[in-house]
């Protein structure tokens, strides 16, 4: 295919704002109609669904300039065997598209009142997205099928004028590969975000909802709400002209280990790199792929956006404090059982529980041990509300999950992690809350 950088006059407007095919005589050898291959050689492709023109005396399938668009298309294979279609703009077209980004960002920030989306937004990232879900028992992740291609002009008509919409849409959609498409898609889903949040509140589902581009995530505490949440969100999404990819719907429980959200692993207090990321780091280190290793190490640091880091930490502390208060209310409203709660007495200071002594937590519906009692979930010691001393956690089948020691709420010494079948998964050495083995893993060997 011809390179637009070598022949820019062939594809772009002249000083009068006209394209080459706007002038009389252009393509006159065939009455202004060319074959698909001939249009491709001039940097244009045929629109989807266009029918060829039958010309008298010419045994060829011809198309007019109105049936074409000046873009190139290529395909990227996906894991499911299908292909992702990517539109590639030429240099000047891409520059014009990028020039619209500041305007679209301004519109999005003004119209998006709930601020639940973290994808393709300046000063936001997937780590900030994931930590919004810390402190909840259950997490549902849902994926929008063909998100960009599902957006139509009506979705954004109340935010943008017709001229801007025409510049951002190709074949009636903000196609992947166009610089403005992520912002257009975010604008199109604002109403759905609002409806989902309001619907969850109306149904008394205490939860947090966020979105990262086409990934919808809801975290909550009541197991009985799982089916209701999936049903409500699916109904809202379908009514707006979008579709949920059921094959990618995922339900996670923090009791089974860390929850993975948009490639970031979270526990009850913070964010971490996933096991998949750590395996990739090992592989890159083994193959001495410096470029890949640098990128993976940076990703594994789970950094928050620089401008928001302090603010986000403060908000996290406040949110975790609120969740602790909710737990206090539960403890106060229920009878504290000696075998099922704290062996030592719980002291309350300004309505906040100050834990000291041995602590035992039990699985809600785990298997029974030989004495007919529910299996333990975790057991260890607190000192002035801080984990201090030996701690052990168990799977619901009774096998040990993790085992190690804390010193003033920070992991210290050797920690063992096990698979559910009882086999040892890994041994890590910690010092003052820092994983020494992981730090060594991330050192560059060059």
């Amino acid at each position: 295919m011809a390179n637009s950088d070598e022949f820019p006059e062939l594809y772009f407007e002249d000083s009068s704002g006209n394209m080459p095919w706007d002038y009389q005589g252009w393509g006159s050898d065939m009455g202004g109609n060319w074959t698909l291959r001939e249009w491709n050689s001039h940097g244009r492709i045929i629109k989807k669904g266009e029918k060829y023109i039958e010309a008298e005396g010419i045994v060829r399938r011809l198309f007019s300039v109105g049936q074409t668009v000046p873009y190139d298309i290529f395909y990227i294979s996906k894991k499911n065997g299908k292909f992702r279609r990517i539109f590639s703009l030429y240099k000047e077209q891409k520059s014009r598209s990028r020039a619209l980004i500041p305007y679209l960002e301004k519109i999005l920030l003004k119209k998006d009142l709930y601020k639940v989306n973290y994808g393709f937004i300046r000063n936001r990232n997937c780590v900030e997205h994931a930590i919004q879900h810390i402190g909840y028992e259950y997490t549902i992740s849902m994926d929008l099928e063909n998100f960009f291609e599902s957006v139509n002009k009506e979705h954004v008509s109340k935010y943008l004028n017709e001229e801007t919409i025409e510049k951002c849409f190709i074949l009636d959609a903000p196609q992947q590969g166009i610089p403005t498409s992520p912002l257009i898609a975010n604008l199109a889903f604002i109403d759905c975000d609002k409806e989902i949040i309001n619907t969850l509140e109306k149904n008394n589902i205490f939860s947090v909802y966020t979105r990262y581009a086409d990934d919808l995530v809801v975290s909550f505490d009541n197991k009985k709400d799982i089916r209701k949440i999936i049903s409500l969100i699916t109904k809202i999404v379908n009514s707006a002209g979008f579709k949920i990819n059921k094959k990618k719907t995922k339900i996670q429980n923090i009791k089974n280990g860390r929850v993975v959200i948009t490639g970031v692993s979270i526990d009850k207090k913070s964010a971490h790199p996933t096991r998949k990321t750590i395996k990739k780091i090992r592989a890159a280190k083994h193959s001495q792929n410096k470029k890949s290793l640098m990128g993976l190490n940076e990703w594994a640091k789970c950094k928050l956006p620089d401008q928001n880091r302090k603010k986000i930490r403060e908000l996290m502390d406040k949110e975790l404090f609120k969740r602790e208060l909710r737990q206090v209310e539960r403890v106060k409203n229920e009878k504290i059982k000696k075998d099922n709660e704290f062996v030592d007495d719980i002291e309350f200071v300004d309505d906040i529980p100050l834990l000291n002594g041995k602590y035992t937590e039990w699985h809600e519906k785990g298997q029974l041990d030989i004495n007919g009692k529910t299996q333990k979930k975790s057991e260890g010691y607190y000192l002035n509300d801080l984990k201090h001393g030996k701690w052990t956690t168990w799977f619901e089948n009774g096998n040990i999950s993790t085992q190690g020691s804390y010193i003033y709420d920070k992991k210290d010494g050797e920690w063992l992690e096990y698979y559910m079948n009882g086999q040892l998964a890994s041994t890590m050495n910690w010092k003052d809350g820092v994983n020494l083995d992981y730090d060594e893993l991330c050192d560059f060997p060059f």
Side-chain angles (χ1 to χ4, degrees), residues 385-404:
D385 220 27
L386 300 175
K387 290 181 179 179
H388 190 75
K390 292 184 178 180
W391 272 80
T392 305
T393 62
W394 289 267
F395 293 108
E396 288 193 6
N397 63 5
N399 290 334
I400 293 176
S401 173
T402 60
Q403 198 169 43

Side-chain angles (χ1 to χ4, degrees), residues 182-236:
L183 291 168
I184 293 294
N186 281 337
L187 276 171
F189 211 77
I190 286 178
D191 289 342
C192 279
D193 289 333
K194 178 181 177 181
E195 185 65 23
I196 290 172
I197 292 171
N198 292 336
T199 301
L200 292 174
E201 290 180 356
K202 288 179 182 178
N203 285 269
N204 296 319
I205 299 174
F206 182 80
S207 60
V208 60
Y209 162 76
T210 60
R211 177 171 62 85
Y212 193 92
D214 59 351
D215 293 316
L216 317 181
V217 185
V218 182
S219 292
F220 50 99
D221 291 325
N222 192 345
K223 186 177 181 180
K224 295 179 181 179
D225 291 332
I226 293 177
R227 289 187 179 181
K228 187 188 293 185
I229 290 172
I230 294 176
S231 176
L232 291 172
I233 292 180
T234 301
K235 185 177 180 180
I236 293 170

Side-chain angles (χ1 to χ4, degrees), residues 2-19:
N3 187 336
S4 65
D5 295 333
E6 297 176 7
F7 310 101
E9 71 282 355
L10 196 60
Y11 309 105
F12 307 112
E13 300 172 355
D14 58 18
S15 57
S16 301
N18 296 318
M19 300 295 282

